[in-house]
Amino acid sequence: MSNVRDRIKAIKQDIRESVGKEKAVIAVSGGIDSSVCALLSNEVIPDQLFSVYIRTGFNLDKEERNLVKLFKKQGIRLKILKREKEYFNELRNIKDSWKRRYTFGVISLKNIKKYAESIGASVLINGVNKNDKEISNIVNSSKQRAKEVKEVLGLKLVEPIADIYKGGVKKIALNIGLKEIINKQHIPGPALVIRISGKITREKLKLLKEINEFTDSQVNEKYWQFFPFLLDERLDNKFLIILRAVTSKDGGFSAEVKYDLKLLNKLAMGILKKYPKVGRVLFDISPKPPVTIEFM
C-alpha cells in the first residue's frame, strides 16, 4: 500500500506543477478514472478546478445521479451541460465504430472548449488511463494528441494517470475513499456509442440502456467487466444481443473467463422474456489480445 500512497503523492505533485496558478477544467463521466483525477485534483487545486459532466444521452441514467451524489459528498463543484440532441444528431448516421468514437471525442472537445472559455481555464485535465492510451495510440501518439488539444482547444493537456492501468487506478480509488465506484461496471469514454452497430436509432439506444441496466443488476461484481452489445442484424425483424464478459487484473490483458452457465442462462432467458424486440442472445468469449475488450 505504501507504493500506492507514493503514486498518489506523485500524481498530486504532477497536477500541482502542471496546472500552476491557472484554472483547470476536467470532464467527468462518473467512471473511476475521471473521478480519481477529479478528487486528487480537488485536493491540491480546489479553487482552480472546474468539473463538468456532459449529458450526451449515451450514458446510463444512473451514472449522472451517482456522480452528482459522489461529488457533493467529496465537495467537488460540478457543472452539467445538457447536449443530448447535439450528440444524437451528429452520431446517428455514422456506422463505423472508430469514426463514431472519434466524432464523439470531437463533439466533446468543442463543448469543453466553450465551457473552458466561459470560466477562463487554460488547462484540461484528462482522466485517460494506460488501457485507453494504448487504444488511442493506434490512431494518435500521446504527443500528437497533446498537440491537437493545444491547437484545437488552446488548452494545456494534463493526463495524471496515463501511465497506470485500470487495476492500478482501482487501487488508488480504494486508498482515497472511492470504494463505492471501484467495482461498478465500466462504461467507456464514448459510452454506449461504441456498443451499438449500424445506424444509431432512439429505439436501439433505449433498448440497449434497458438491457444494460438489467445485466448490471444481475452480474454485480462477478466479472471484471460485463456488458451487452447490440448487433445490427435482424432475425425475424428482431435484434441480436451479444453479452461479453472479461476477467482481468488491470485491463491490459483478459484472462480465461470461467463462465457461470447458470447465470448466463438466466441472463439470456431474462433478456428474451423482458425485451420482445430481441430475437437471440449470444456470448462473446474472445480474449484480449488479439481482440480489444470493446467491439472496435
Side-chain angles (χ1 to χ4, degrees):
M1 189 61 73
S2 61
N3 289 336
V4 176
R5 287 195 291 267
D6 289 342
R7 177 56 69 93
I8 291 172
K9 184 178 179 180
I11 291 173
K12 287 183 179 181
Q13 185 64 22
D14 176 48
I15 294 171
R16 185 181 293 108
E17 292 178 354
S18 299
V19 176
K21 297 182 179 180
E22 303 299 318
K23 291 182 179 179
V25 60
I26 179 171
V28 293
S29 63
I32 189 169
D33 302 315
S34 58
S35 296
V36 163
C37 286
L39 194 152
L40 293 179
S41 298
N42 194 60
E43 289 184 0
V44 293
I45 54 166
D47 297 330
Q48 301 160 246
L49 183 68
F50 295 81
S51 301
V52 58
Y53 174 86
I54 304 175
R55 189 183 294 169
T56 67
F58 289 96
N59 267 325
L60 301 179
D61 296 336
K62 65 180 181 180
E63 293 293 318
E64 181 179 330
R65 294 195 302 269
N66 293 338
L67 178 67
V68 170
K69 182 179 178 181
L70 174 65
F71 275 42
K72 184 177 181 180
K73 175 183 175 182
Q74 297 293 341
I76 306 173
R77 70 179 135 203
L78 178 65
K79 173 72 174 180
I80 296 177
L81 302 179
K82 302 174 183 179
R83 300 290 186 269
E84 302 99 309
K85 290 183 179 180
E86 178 184 359
Y87 277 82
F88 185 80
N89 291 335
E90 289 286 338
L91 295 165
R92 62 190 304 175
N93 293 318
I94 302 176
K95 294 183 179 181
D96 180 78
S97 59
W98 282 107
K99 186 175 181 181
R100 193 184 290 170
R101 183 186 184 109
Y102 174 79
T103 304
F104 184 96
V106 170
I107 301 169
S108 298
L109 289 177
K110 288 180 180 178
N111 279 287
I112 292 170
K113 180 179 181 180
K114 290 180 182 178
Y115 179 63
E117 289 174 345
S118 72
I119 60 174
S122 60
V123 178
L124 171 63
I125 298 175
N126 186 24
V128 60
N129 65 37
K130 193 167 184 177
N131 306 94
D132 301 323
K133 193 174 179 182
E134 288 177 349
I135 293 175
S136 298
N137 283 347
I138 296 174
V139 180
N140 286 322
S141 67
S142 298
K143 289 183 178 179
Q144 178 64 24
R145 188 165 61 253
K147 181 180 178 182
E148 288 180 353
V149 169
K150 184 65 177 177
E151 291 177 349
V152 176
L153 301 185
L155 300 173
K156 177 182 179 181
L157 181 63
V158 177
E159 297 182 327
I161 59 171
D163 63 340
I164 307 174
Y165 280 115
K166 176 69 76 173
V169 179
K170 286 187 174 185
K171 291 179 181 179
I172 292 173
L174 180 62
N175 191 276
I176 62 178
L178 293 179
K179 184 178 180 180
E180 63 263 48
I181 66 172
I182 289 176
N183 294 313
K184 68 185 289 292
Q185 287 297 315
H186 172 64
I187 301 291
L192 301 184
V193 166
I194 58 173
R195 291 181 177 176
I196 297 175
S197 73
K199 182 179 178 179
I200 295 176
T201 65
R202 296 194 185 281
E203 178 190 28
K204 287 182 181 179
L205 183 57
K206 182 176 183 295
L207 178 62
L208 185 59
K209 282 186 175 183
E210 291 177 356
I211 294 174
N212 213 135
E213 296 278 5
F214 171 69
T215 57
D216 278 1
S217 70
Q218 301 297 314
V219 175
N220 296 320
E221 303 173 11
K222 186 170 184 63
Y223 297 103
W224 187 82
Q225 194 169 340
F226 193 105
F227 62 89
F229 178 88
L230 192 150
L231 187 63
D232 193 32
E233 296 289 339
R234 296 264 187 148
L235 291 175
D236 298 326
N237 204 35
K238 294 184 177 182
F239 294 110
L240 275 68
I241 292 294
I242 302 176
L243 298 180
R244 179 150 171 74
V246 178
T247 299
S248 177
K249 291 183 178 181
D250 56 20
F253 298 90
S254 62
E256 180 181 356
V257 177
K258 296 181 180 179
Y259 290 97
D260 182 338
L261 295 181
K262 185 176 181 180
L263 172 62
L264 296 185
N265 184 64
K266 178 182 177 182
L267 289 171
M269 293 298 293
I271 290 171
L272 292 171
K273 184 177 180 180
K274 288 172 66 68
Y275 308 103
K277 292 180 180 179
V278 176
R280 187 162 299 196
V281 178
L282 311 176
F283 295 98
D284 180 3
I285 61 172
S286 308
K288 176 188 178 181
V291 305
T292 57
I293 290 178
E294 298 291 339
F295 289 78
M296 301 295 292

